[in-house]
Amino acid sequence: MDNAHTHANAHGHHHDCGHDHAHVHAHGEHCSHDHHDHAHHDGCCGHDHSAGPKHIYVYSPSGAVRDKAAFKRAIKRLEGMGHQVEVDADALSSHLRFAGDDATRIAAIHRAAASGADVALISRGGYGLTRILPGIDYATVAKAVEQGTHFVGLSDFTAFQNALLAQTGAISWAGPALIADFGPKEGVDDIMLDCFEDLIYGHGEGAGWRMPKQPAGAVPDDFYVEGGATLWGSNLAVLTSLLGTPYFPQVEGGILFLEDVGEHPYKIERMLTQLLHAGVLAKQKAIVFGQFTEFKLTPHDKGYKLQSVIDWLRTQVSIPVLQGLPYGHVETKVLLPVGAQVSLSVEGRDALIYWGHIH
């Protein structure tokens, strides 16, 4: 999938924000959400990100860390930003394909919850969380969230996030992983970093983006979902694997956002079909597609592609299906509060998910 058309305008500080990346699309256009003034007039200009170091706790609840060099680079980079990075005792453990056996990884999650850190950041995704969901003390994690720890991650972490939401209603953050996002030799994506810093310094308010061009009528030109819609979802395959379990959130009137990596469009459609037939999609106010990457079409497809899946989905549901959210297994990604109450506005091709300050 070509991600060159991901016009990320950072993290949606939609009222003249001072950040270099805010609302500047890849083609230099600015988007305006003046029609839906969210009564937020402080302009959020020139945020001060120098409010001192933050405590970041790094742990490994899923796959084993194989790229130790990238792990070290990422730690060094966060420390170079002035943060205090605490590495879990078993962050580099390995058992089969996992970062330690099940008990080891459950204990790591509980240590992250007990750390008092500002951010509990996963080292990487992979696979391993769905099998340990029954062993997690969700009340303890929810208490840590209440006391100010932001649990951040993506991919396999979707299982933990949605289980936490289903069990306690607590909010966690869909966002970067240590190695993939802070460990690359070539550096860190500016927009992702801005969004991460906005989270840790309490400035994050929303995510705005420009959607790809669509045929007339594919998406309503102007619509608004009032605050009170629960934002949820993340990785499609992991989310679908939770269906029918106590770890699948029963969200009605929500905004469901989705992404995936390495899944052929027919597999994406099959998973969407499962959510559709289970009655999940009809209960939402909108479905938002992030980035679906690293799949290969074949001659057999005969023109069947990801857009075919989205076009088909639009014939099956009576709610808006949006595209282009800069989130997924891509460098440029916004951070999104899973479980938070949000508003959603669309004006032409400009979309904004807004949650205000969450503390």
Side-chain angles (χ1 to χ4, degrees):
M1 180 179 171
D2 180 8
N3 287 315
H5 300 294
T6 304
H7 300 302
N9 59 331
H11 32 298
H13 285 322
H14 49 284
H15 296 296
D16 51 67
C17 179
H19 286 144
D20 294 339
H21 305 284
H23 281 299
V24 180
H25 299 285
H27 39 55
E29 291 182 15
H30 289 253
C31 70
S32 160
H33 286 281
D34 296 339
H35 299 183
H36 300 303
D37 191 338
H38 298 290
H40 179 74
H41 299 294
D42 67 17
C44 50
C45 285
H47 281 151
D48 181 8
H49 282 167
S50 60
K54 294 292 180 178
H55 177 190
I56 299 172
Y57 192 91
V58 172
Y59 67 114
S60 301
S62 299
V65 172
R66 304 295 185 212
D67 191 343
K68 305 280 171 49
F71 182 90
K72 285 176 187 162
R73 256 196 317 272
I75 299 288
K76 205 172 263 186
R77 213 164 252 151
L78 286 169
E79 288 175 340
M81 293 169 199
H83 302 307
Q84 177 210 338
V85 183
E86 183 180 355
V87 178
D88 184 76
D90 287 314
L92 296 174
S93 292
S94 179
H95 170 73
L96 303 174
R97 60 181 295 119
F98 308 108
D101 62 19
D102 292 354
T104 297
R105 288 177 296 114
I106 290 169
I109 291 169
H110 293 153
R111 282 194 296 272
S115 67
D118 298 292
V119 173
L121 182 65
I122 63 167
S123 63
R124 54 158 300 190
Y127 167 69
L129 269 162
T130 45
R131 60 188 271 162
I132 62 173
L133 293 178
I136 297 170
D137 183 342
Y138 296 98
T140 295
V141 176
K143 190 176 178 192
V145 170
E146 197 181 312
Q147 291 172 347
T149 298
H150 301 295
F151 285 81
V152 180
L154 79 164
S155 199
D156 191 54
F157 193 62
T158 300
F160 173 88
Q161 297 190 290
N162 285 278
L164 179 65
L165 177 59
Q167 294 286 313
T168 71
I171 295 167
S172 59
W173 290 80
L178 178 80
I179 294 171
D181 293 291
F182 293 99
K185 278 181 187 167
E186 58 275 16
V188 176
D189 182 84
D190 288 340
I191 290 173
M192 181 282 295
L193 186 57
D194 267 356
C195 295
F196 182 73
E197 292 200 327
D198 267 3
L199 167 67
I200 62 181
Y201 290 110
H203 298 310
E205 297 178 332
W209 74 100
R210 169 148 282 205
M211 296 186 289
K213 281 184 179 167
Q214 298 287 299
V219 177
D221 277 344
D222 273 285
F223 77 93
Y224 186 59
V225 175
E226 197 62 64
T230 301
L231 183 66
W232 70 297
S234 204
N235 184 269
L236 175 60
V238 178
L239 183 70
T240 306
S241 76
L242 301 177
L243 198 61
T245 73
Y247 311 111
F248 190 89
Q250 302 302 309
V251 176
E252 300 202 12
I255 310 289
L256 176 63
F257 73 98
L258 300 166
E259 63 82 27
D260 220 319
V261 61
E263 299 285 359
H264 187 286
Y266 82 82
K267 295 184 179 179
I268 293 165
E269 182 176 303
R270 185 164 59 197
M271 290 183 276
L272 289 168
T273 305
Q274 189 175 353
L275 295 175
L276 177 73
H277 297 333
V280 174
L281 302 186
K283 291 178 185 167
Q284 309 312 312
K285 289 194 175 158
I287 300 165
V288 181
F289 277 75
Q291 304 304 304
F292 286 74
T293 51
E294 293 180 34
F295 58 78
K296 194 172 180 185
L297 298 177
T298 70
H300 177 68
D301 291 313
K302 299 285 189 202
Y304 175 89
K305 55 191 180 187
L306 182 61
Q307 192 62 48
S308 317
V309 174
I310 295 170
D311 293 344
W312 168 81
L313 182 63
R314 285 178 173 143
T315 69
Q316 303 298 305
V317 294
S318 58
I319 58 174
V321 177
L322 311 182
Q323 289 174 255
L325 175 70
Y327 177 76
H329 288 69
V330 288
E331 286 178 25
T332 300
K333 62 169 73 70
V334 294
L335 273 75
L336 299 164
V338 175
Q341 301 301 295
V342 302
S343 306
L344 169 67
S345 70
V346 167
E347 295 173 15
R349 285 169 58 198
D350 292 325
L352 173 72
I353 296 171
Y354 180 81
W355 54 84
H357 290 296
I358 293 172
H359 295 294

